[in-house]
Amino acid sequence: MHPFEVTGGVQEEQLQQSAIKVFFKSITHLKEVVEREKQKKRVWLKTTRRLMQSIINLVSQNESFMVGLTNIKNYDEYTLNHSTNVTVLAICFGRRLGLERKELVDLGVSAFFHDMGKLEIPEKILNKPGKLDDDEFAIMRTHSWHGAQKLACLKELSILPVSAINVAMEHHIWANLEGASYPKYWKKDHIDFFSKIVKICDFFDAVTTERPYRKKTATREEATGWMLEKIGSEFDTTLLKVFTNMIGVYPIGSLVVLDSEEWGIVMETNPEITLITCPKVKIIADKDGNKIDGGIIDLSERDPEADKFKKKIVKTLDPYKYEINVSEHFLAHSG
Ligand SMILES: [Fe+2]
Ligand SMILES: [Fe+2]
């Protein structure tokens, strides 16, 4: 099966159900890992690796749906949901970069544990409404090395990829090592390739998630816009280009208005570069503004008589502003 093909029917539905299952299982598993790590018990890294294998299988069968699931935000604790989203995005990204399966598992594990150090940060700093002051920010920054230290002390260190320790340490380091980059390395200028991948996925998921300290939650297309402003400085140039290409002009989960005045949610981007503005869209409101559970339409379909696309996107809207929970439309597939 072509990785981007949506087959529809029973097989597709089963695939989506297992994707949802694996997604929530990952959140639960990370919660268990965190608990067990606190008690200095074994953390079942083999289970983590098996979960990564499942995510890789699902991504190779239906990448769009998996990316769609990363619209789920703040389920259970923020860091658990966020780490799962970053893992899914990193695996999709790594696959597009041509990484081999074993590397994808290592990348997934590294992304999954990137924020382990947050466990050491007091709750009142983690969830502080408003900006952190200098002292609080200094404490926040310690989550990088706290994370690296925790991972290096795991009982199952022998089956943990070294990159996981690097990623925990380096996922806030800028491509040019300047700006708000942290930590500052002394006599080390080589940053792990996986850290650069996770840095991008981490930023994208973080700014698109509602948080008490952030005034504005970015829509998915705003987020890629913000990131492109920092191409070459905060983010690696080549990697960011591949990532924005993966996310698309109208990222999966965007709320869009069509020329028919219907509202829809982007469910799948078009892999054909000339059809990048023609994703598959699920209709959620008719032209009179009534909420409906409409079907999924392919905007690359043309009207042969008029020789133009049947429908096209005229603008995007901010789902937060209209209180539309995008993830519900992906979860609805579970039946
Ligand atoms: Fe972090
Ligand atoms: Fe993070």
Side-chain angles (χ1 to χ4, degrees):
M1 188 171 84
H2 185 279
F4 301 107
E5 208 163 65
V6 170
T7 52
V10 180
Q11 198 197 348
E12 182 62 22
E13 209 170 290
Q14 277 171 355
L15 206 62
Q16 292 177 351
Q17 277 179 22
S18 20
I20 292 166
K21 228 162 117 190
V22 167
F23 187 87
F24 286 109
K25 217 171 161 181
S26 303
I27 297 181
T28 318
H29 173 63
L30 187 55
K31 196 172 186 164
E32 283 164 356
V33 167
V34 164
E35 279 309 313
R36 292 182 68 88
E37 194 277 337
K38 272 188 206 158
Q39 299 161 19
K40 299 281 168 255
K41 288 182 181 164
R42 291 196 167 269
V43 296
W44 301 322
L45 269 187
K46 280 193 180 143
T47 308
T48 317
R49 294 191 76 87
R50 267 199 302 272
L51 268 174
M52 297 307 130
Q53 297 277 10
S54 312
I55 296 176
I56 296 165
N57 291 343
L58 290 160
V59 165
S60 56
Q61 289 173 92
N62 192 346
E63 186 195 49
S64 301
F65 191 75
M66 285 307 280
V67 173
L69 287 182
T70 67
N71 281 286
I72 299 171
K73 308 283 189 182
N74 289 323
Y75 174 82
D76 208 314
E77 281 159 54
Y78 163 73
T79 307
L80 302 176
N81 193 160
H82 163 70
S83 300
T84 303
N85 289 353
V86 173
T87 303
V88 171
L89 290 170
I91 288 176
C92 294
F93 192 7
R95 196 172 150 266
R96 284 190 177 229
L97 292 166
L99 298 186
E100 285 170 15
R101 202 179 172 87
K102 156 90 175 54
E103 295 171 311
L104 287 176
V105 174
D106 287 350
L107 172 62
V109 172
S110 308
F112 199 55
F113 295 137
H114 80 279
D115 267 340
M116 279 293 274
K118 291 251 175 100
L119 290 171
E120 295 298 316
I121 309 299
E123 196 86 358
K124 66 175 196 311
I125 294 183
L126 273 184
N127 295 318
K128 183 187 172 184
K131 263 192 157 221
L132 299 181
D133 64 32
D134 288 352
D135 291 343
E136 289 165 334
F137 194 57
I139 296 174
M140 187 61 141
R141 282 196 299 243
T142 62
H143 84 272
S144 307
W145 60 264
H146 272 310
Q149 199 177 33
K150 272 187 188 301
L151 292 173
C153 292
L154 286 184
K155 284 203 172 78
E156 288 144 306
L157 185 63
S158 61
I159 54 164
L160 181 83
V162 180
S163 59
I165 300 171
N166 289 338
V167 167
M169 190 74 167
E170 300 172 342
H171 67 278
H172 289 284
I173 293 185
W174 287 29
N176 64 2
L177 310 174
E178 290 171 8
S181 180
Y182 68 87
K184 301 265 186 259
Y185 274 156
W186 188 64
K187 284 193 177 178
K188 182 180 188 249
D189 55 8
H190 173 75
I191 307 300
D192 196 308
F193 181 57
F194 287 179
S195 304
K196 296 178 187 175
I197 294 179
V198 172
K199 158 99 188 125
I200 290 175
C201 303
D202 175 57
F203 184 97
F204 179 78
D205 186 68
V207 296
T208 52
T209 305
E210 213 174 339
R211 297 292 289 142
Y213 51 79
R214 198 177 291 115
K215 273 198 216 115
K216 163 107 179 78
T217 309
T219 63
R220 290 164 88 84
E221 62 272 20
E222 273 169 346
T224 49
W226 293 0
M227 292 167 86
L228 286 167
E229 283 172 21
K230 292 179 175 174
I231 194 163
S233 55
E234 183 163 355
F235 306 104
D236 180 275
T237 306
T238 316
L239 287 180
L240 187 59
K241 282 184 189 162
V242 178
F243 183 78
T244 46
N245 199 290
M246 173 178 107
I247 296 297
V249 180
Y250 299 114
I252 293 165
S254 303
L255 176 62
V256 294
V257 182
L258 306 181
D259 54 357
S260 56
E261 291 177 38
E262 293 160 302
W263 287 23
I265 286 175
V266 175
M267 302 299 278
E268 196 182 326
T269 52
N270 198 314
E272 178 58 53
I273 198 79
T274 54
L275 296 171
I276 200 162
T277 56
C278 306
K280 287 193 174 124
V281 168
K282 180 182 165 60
I283 303 298
I284 61 156
D286 64 16
K287 66 178 173 42
D288 301 313
N290 305 310
K291 279 194 178 174
I292 55 167
D293 185 16
I296 295 178
I297 56 169
D298 185 348
L299 295 184
S300 66
E301 271 178 29
R302 295 183 78 90
D303 177 349
E305 274 164 37
D307 194 26
K308 59 176 185 130
F309 292 117
K310 285 184 182 163
K311 287 176 186 179
K312 65 173 199 255
I313 294 171
V314 287
K315 65 175 171 181
T316 58
L317 298 172
D318 184 347
Y320 302 103
K321 210 163 132 191
Y322 295 92
E323 289 178 4
I324 289 171
N325 185 346
V326 172
S327 67
E328 275 173 13
H329 296 278
F330 289 91
L331 293 177
H333 283 254
S334 61

